[in-house]
Every structure is written in structure tokens, then in C-alpha cells.
Amino acid sequence: MPRQPMIVGAPVVLVIDIQKGGFLDGYDIGIPKMTGWRANMGRARQVIDAARETSTPLIFFQEAHRPDLIDFGRELDGAEGIHCVEGREGTEIAVEETGYRPGEDYFIRKRRYSCFFGTELEILLKGLKAQTLILIGGLTDVCCHYTFADGHQHDYHCRIVGDAVGGSSDEAHAASLRAMEYLQAGAVRSTADIVAGLAALKSAA
């Protein structure tokens, strides 16, 4: 198959789990983070701002679990501790850091890693006539990776912004990017690539 264009058809930006706990000093979010995580989230904001400037739809996701922990399932069997519990400050979307606009941006709360699993995402994407999904946020190797895989299997063109996502470790981040590139050649793009690509779409409109 020939390498596909970076953006095919109508793009949508998926802002995955950029939540307040990652920015609160001393706050135990229960999830390990790679070095440079905050810098990568700063570049995620650049993608968000570029999407706004080009009228590209933004869908913000919040992982959240009920306080009685009934919906954690097998999530605590691995390296993660209790995390993203409803009602805790750190679980809220990081509004200041992302520029999230409640009531204007699309918002989906999810109970599992993939943004597709048990949510209305597929219905929303059909309504938006989306063809290309641009992923930013975290974790690269968990929620972003599983969302990418599900998007791939739903036949979307998936692009992961490699310097605007953050993994559980440097090694896991790099390995996950390689795995996504394996599924779709040209999937891993930089913030600069995506910002320029969105601007080009606007200029061509």
C-alpha cells in the first residue's frame, strides 16, 4: 500500500486524559509518568490551539472511576494504583493547561483505557464525518495506544503526535510509538507537522 497523506478527509483531535493531577505538585495520581511528560503536554496545547484556529473539532476525554471502585475491573492488576476517582481534584480535566471549553468542546467520560470502549465516540465521529484521528495526551502506551488500535480497526486514519503524548516511561513511550507506526506507516508525527498540516487545510478551504 502507498503511504497515506498525513491528513485524509476531515480530521478530529482526540485530547486523551490530560487531567489536573498531572500538574499538581505532590499529587499522587497513581500512575507512573515518563521524563519530559509536562513538556509534551505543553506541545499538546499547541495542537489544541491549532485545532481551534482551523475549526477542527476537539474531543476531550476524562478517565474517571466511581468512588466505590466498582468499575476498575482488572486495571489494578498491573503497575497502576488507584487513579482518576470521581470527585477528586486531580481527576478533573486540566482546564488551564489545555484551554478546554466546557459546553463548546466535545467531552466524553470513559471507564476504560480505549476511548472507544463503552463510550459514544463512534457515534460522534460518524456525525462529524471524521476520517483522520489525531491523538494527543496520555498515556502513550496505554490509553493512546489502545485508542489508536481501536481506531485502526474501525478503519480511521490514525495519527499520534509523538512529542505531544506522554508514556508511563521513556521506554514504554518509544516502544508504543513504534507499534503504532507498524500499524499505519506515517502514523507518528510531530507537533510541528500537525500544526502545519491543519493550517494547510484551512488555507485550502
Side-chain angles (χ1 to χ4, degrees):
M1 289 290 292
R3 185 179 176 123
Q4 298 294 315
M6 183 172 68
I7 298 176
V8 179
V12 172
V13 175
L14 308 187
V15 185
I16 301 174
D17 302 346
I18 305 182
Q19 294 169 238
K20 195 65 181 177
F23 301 92
L24 297 174
D25 292 334
Y27 186 90
D28 181 10
I29 63 172
I31 300 174
K33 297 198 304 292
M34 64 182 281
T35 56
W37 184 88
R38 287 199 184 189
N40 285 15
M41 294 308 102
R43 283 183 284 272
R45 176 62 187 267
Q46 294 178 37
V47 176
I48 292 167
D49 291 344
R52 291 204 190 286
E53 292 172 5
T54 57
S55 300
T56 301
L58 289 154
I59 307 176
F60 283 77
F61 293 87
Q62 176 201 43
E63 182 175 343
H65 297 285
R66 293 178 174 86
D68 64 2
L69 313 186
I70 194 67
D71 53 17
F72 264 102
R74 302 268 61 82
E75 284 195 25
L76 302 181
D77 289 359
E80 295 181 354
I82 293 172
H83 58 277
C84 297
V85 175
E86 289 181 354
R88 295 184 182 177
E89 180 184 11
T91 303
E92 298 306 311
I93 296 291
V95 174
E96 292 182 4
E97 292 80 3
T98 63
Y100 170 56
R101 299 176 183 177
E104 179 179 334
D105 297 320
Y106 296 105
F107 170 81
I108 293 177
R109 180 177 291 115
K110 62 187 179 70
R111 306 294 184 181
R112 290 291 190 267
Y113 296 134
S114 172
C115 293
F116 285 90
F117 193 97
T119 74
E120 69 270 31
L121 176 58
E122 182 68 3
I123 294 172
L124 179 54
L125 293 176
K126 287 182 184 298
L128 294 170
K129 297 180 172 53
Q131 291 178 261
T132 298
L133 308 183
I134 299 169
L135 281 62
I136 58 176
L139 292 174
T140 313
D141 48 310
V142 188
C143 296
C144 292
H145 194 154
Y146 298 147
T147 298
F148 184 104
D150 282 349
H152 174 74
Q153 293 177 115
H154 280 88
D155 296 330
Y156 290 101
H157 299 270
C158 298
R159 305 292 177 253
I160 183 89
V161 189
D163 59 353
V165 289
S168 62
S169 70
D170 293 348
E171 295 78 11
H173 170 78
S176 185
L177 293 179
R178 288 195 298 270
M180 286 183 268
E181 181 71 19
Y182 176 89
L183 292 179
Q184 292 191 17
V188 181
R189 308 304 297 233
S190 69
T191 295
D193 287 340
I194 294 297
V195 169
L198 292 176
L201 282 183
K202 183 179 180 181
S203 297

